[in-house]
Amino acid sequence: MTDCVFCKIVAGEIPARVVFEDDAVLAFEDLNPQAPEHVLVIPKTHIATLNDLSAAEAPVIGQMARAAAEIARDRGFAENGYRTVMNCNDHGGQTVYHIHMHVLAGRALSWPPG
Ligand code: AMP
Ligand code: ZN
């Protein structure tokens, strides 16, 4: 999608601090980190929200989760722990309409979220 910021990162049109990449998934540091470690894991194909995920596309969520775990191991926070979050639509707090998994770590995170 031409006007999607995350598609532009996938295309290399906008710079990002990439921390992981495979055939289906790209991960990069969040511009506005909410924890000492804050990485976004995205599918390389444009899917606007979790509501739009088709059955055929569903396996990419597993690849995103496995990427998050690999990033956690590589960056050394797997043992202490981390949180993965996917925000959907307005009440979920979604601001970028290309699905993404937040990976937050480096401090104890409170629950429930605000
Ligand atoms: P959400 O509010 O769940 O849609 O999360 C969108 C996230 O994308 C926010 O945490 C933003 O800080 C982050 N973000 C937006 N634009 C960029 C960008 N160009 N590079 C890295 N992170 C971004
Ligand atoms: Zn996109």
Side-chain angles (χ1 to χ4, degrees), residues 5-6 9 14-17 28-34 38 40 85-89 92-98 100 102 104:
V5 63
F6 288 175
I9 288 174
I14 289 179
R17 294 183 179 208
F28 49 89
E29 292 178 2
D30 196 294
L31 262 189
N32 183 25
Q34 301 301 311
H38 189 170
L40 300 174
V85 178
M86 293 183 74
N87 296 325
C88 183
N89 277 343
Q94 186 172 6
T95 59
V96 176
Y97 283 79
H98 177 133
H100 47 281
H102 294 261
L104 297 147

Side-chain angles (χ1 to χ4, degrees), residues 54-73:
S54 69
E57 291 166 328
V60 80
I61 301 294
Q63 289 175 271
M64 291 163 66
R66 284 181 58 82
E70 189 167 328
I71 291 161
R73 276 193 301 274

Side-chain angles (χ1 to χ4, degrees), residues 1-10 42-48 96-99:
M1 234 196 138
T2 50
D3 62 347
C4 169
V5 63
F6 288 175
C7 283
K8 286 182 176 165
I9 288 174
V10 171
I42 70 168
K44 287 184 170 177
T45 55
H46 183 83
I47 302 163
V96 176
Y97 283 79
H98 177 133
I99 61 168

